[in-house]
Amino acid sequence: MGKLMKIFKILENIFLSEHTKKRIEKVILYVALISFFIHLIIIGLSKFDIISLFPNSELLLNPISAIYTPFSFILIYEVYLLIYYLPKSFTIYITKQYEIITLIIIRKLFKDLSMLELTSDWFDIKGDLQFTYDIFASLVLFFLIFHFQKQGNRKTEKKNKIGPMVERFVKRKKIIAIVLVPFFFVLALSTLIQWSSEISFSTEVMPSFETINNLFFDDFFTVLILVDVILLLISFFYTDKFHKIIRNSGFIVSTILIRLSFGVSGIVSTILIIVAVLFGLLIILIHNEYEKNNTL
């Protein structure tokens, strides 16, 4: 048992320490910056016909679309932060899910900006219409996430002293987080290898943009649903309070709605994402009202 605890502490220090977080943040920022300039150079070389690499790709037609690449690496860091905060705060963990899906929409906006057709037929052009949906959705999600964080902080401020049962629950969440860090790293690497194998340099065919935009994150949110279910089941050992069970169950529903948004496109996808975050906000609002009544 002592050896297992020692291994657990070593792995926790490797994957979930503040030092590791800062190192990963620094590396990701450097990689994001370098990738941005590489993307810009490729676009420039393609524009002057120095190279001919996927001439029909939406990501190589305009310098604005180069912002898409560094945002992809920032999203990877957000995935790590989600796992990092899982043992520390359940509400921050859920907030990170909402932030990730919002950043995916923002990332797509940069691609859409480079493809806009500024004409009087704005609402008849599919690309321009999707840009309108996404820019509106990003504002709504930003507003909803702000209030979700506000409600989460309010709950944290009223938290009582941590007891032994809560400590055991946190320890189990740390075990899940320690397993998730290398798992998501392997998942990201295998997804990149699989996507690269689908690229045909001979015919200059690249996977569709929808495939690229959903790359990794459709699998990522599928795994998150399973993690949320595991957390819900483990929580039954530590609480039988109705409002806690409904809160945790509601967050699973919210994550499922986000995952479903990857299977559709257009306004349906946007509506699913907004409904998912709005549902999560309503769940935590009602939960906090229960908490308030229990303290009276």
Side-chain angles (χ1 to χ4, degrees), residues 169-226:
F169 186 39
V170 169
K171 192 177 287 185
R172 278 155 179 75
K173 289 199 290 181
K174 281 181 181 178
I175 292 169
I176 294 171
I178 287 167
V179 172
L180 284 177
V181 173
F183 176 81
F184 278 130
F185 175 76
V186 172
L187 179 64
L189 193 62
S190 63
T191 305
L192 181 62
I193 292 167
Q194 185 183 348
W195 175 74
S196 300
S197 67
E198 293 174 3
I199 297 174
S200 175
F201 287 96
S202 56
T203 56
E204 294 187 331
V205 175
M206 201 172 186
S208 66
F209 176 75
E210 285 300 322
T211 305
I212 297 170
N213 199 54
N214 295 348
L215 199 67
F216 172 73
F217 287 101
D218 49 357
D219 293 329
F220 169 73
F221 276 99
T222 301
V223 175
L224 282 189
I225 292 167
L226 300 176

Side-chain angles (χ1 to χ4, degrees), residues 261-292:
S261 72
F262 288 102
V264 290
S265 57
I267 193 168
V268 178
S269 175
T270 308
I271 289 171
L272 277 172
I273 294 166
I274 291 174
V275 169
V277 181
L278 179 60
F279 184 74
L281 174 60
L282 291 174
I283 283 290
I284 200 170
L285 275 167
I286 299 167
H287 169 270
N288 286 354
E289 286 301 313
Y290 263 94
E291 289 277 285
K292 195 190 295 182

